Amino acid sequence: MELGQILVTEKDIQRRVAELGERITADYQGREVFVIGILKGAAVFMSDLIRQIKVPVEIDFMSLSSYGTATKTSGVVRMLRDLDREIAGKHILVVEDIVDTGLTLSYLRENLMVRKPASLKICTFLDKPSRRQVELKPDYCGLEIDDYFVVGYGLDYNEKGRELPYIAVVKP
Ligand code: IMP
Ligand code: MG
């Protein structure tokens, strides 16, 4: 894997995460948020984000896998790890690293809505709106980017690059 341009610096990431945390804090005043992180990509973002949310938080994780290649999803989603507990009546915030075609989150949203949460919102650090195949608009988004394949801050290319503290473009 060869890295190209740095798209988001460590400093810019931390600033955006703080801003998202402030907005979420304001929107959830007087409530508890049940934050669901989508493994593995969202783990890094989620751990930063929950420390910027100043209302009570519960966390859990789900792991989904879509069949496909390293850079292309097939749209067929498989659940590898489900939640530990029920979410009926809770205010759910799904945290994702990046929304690309939207297929993963649209599958997940349907799956979670069946469990009757009080509300369900989506927070993604990155969004590639030009790649969307189904309608999916994140409620909170750190940054919209063009159609690059990126790594860092939890995002991987064939499991590499997750540990980078910035987000960089992968050279094709
Ligand atoms: P979607 O179902 O096409 O929206 O796929 C979203 C998933 O694809 C994300 O959770 C990532 O795991 C992966 N993905 C999409 N774009 C990128 C990228 O640029 N870098 C790393 N992973 C990506
Ligand atoms: Mg992912």
Side-chain angles (χ1 to χ4, degrees):
M1 177 175 70
E2 213 188 315
L3 295 184
Q5 181 200 357
I6 291 185
L7 219 53
V8 198
T9 64
E10 189 169 1
K11 213 173 141 205
D12 285 342
I13 290 174
Q14 296 314 327
R15 207 194 55 231
R16 284 306 288 147
V17 173
E19 285 166 4
L20 287 171
E22 270 178 39
R23 278 183 51 206
I24 292 167
T25 302
D27 292 352
Y28 285 87
Q29 276 309 307
R31 288 182 283 169
E32 267 189 36
V33 204
F34 193 96
V35 179
I36 300 176
I38 310 305
L39 295 171
K40 303 167 212 173
V44 179
F45 171 42
M46 175 166 152
S47 71
D48 283 345
L49 183 68
I50 58 174
R51 284 174 285 177
Q52 302 292 334
I53 299 177
K54 312 297 180 195
V55 296
V57 161
E58 252 187 88
I59 66 167
D60 203 347
F61 294 95
M62 288 176 102
S63 177
L64 306 167
S65 165
S66 59
Y67 297 94
T69 62
T71 58
K72 274 212 183 69
T73 172
S74 65
V76 180
V77 182
R78 196 161 50 124
M79 193 180 301
L80 304 178
R81 186 204 186 275
D82 204 344
L83 302 170
D84 290 335
R85 300 220 230 149
E86 302 208 343
I87 55 165
K90 299 193 175 191
H91 295 285
I92 304 302
L93 183 65
V94 173
V95 174
E96 180 55 303
D97 49 3
I98 188 164
V99 185
D100 185 35
T101 63
L103 290 164
T104 308
L105 280 183
S106 113
Y107 164 87
L108 184 66
R109 185 172 55 188
E110 305 264 298
N111 182 293
L112 292 176
M113 284 310 284
V114 174
R115 310 181 197 193
K116 303 262 183 292
S119 67
L120 191 156
K121 285 190 182 186
I122 292 170
C123 176
T124 184
F125 188 66
L126 295 177
D127 190 5
K128 292 196 248 187
S130 69
R131 298 253 314 155
R132 208 68 97 247
Q133 286 179 26
V134 289
E135 208 202 302
L136 194 122
K137 180 102 186 82
D139 300 279
Y140 305 97
C141 170
L143 205 71
E144 289 190 357
I145 64 169
D146 290 332
D147 184 11
Y148 297 115
F149 199 86
V150 295
V151 292
Y153 199 55
L155 290 146
D156 73 303
Y157 175 70
N158 274 337
E159 297 300 325
K160 302 288 185 216
R162 296 193 195 274
E163 73 282 19
L164 300 171
Y166 48 81
I167 287 165
V169 175
V170 177
K171 280 198 180 160

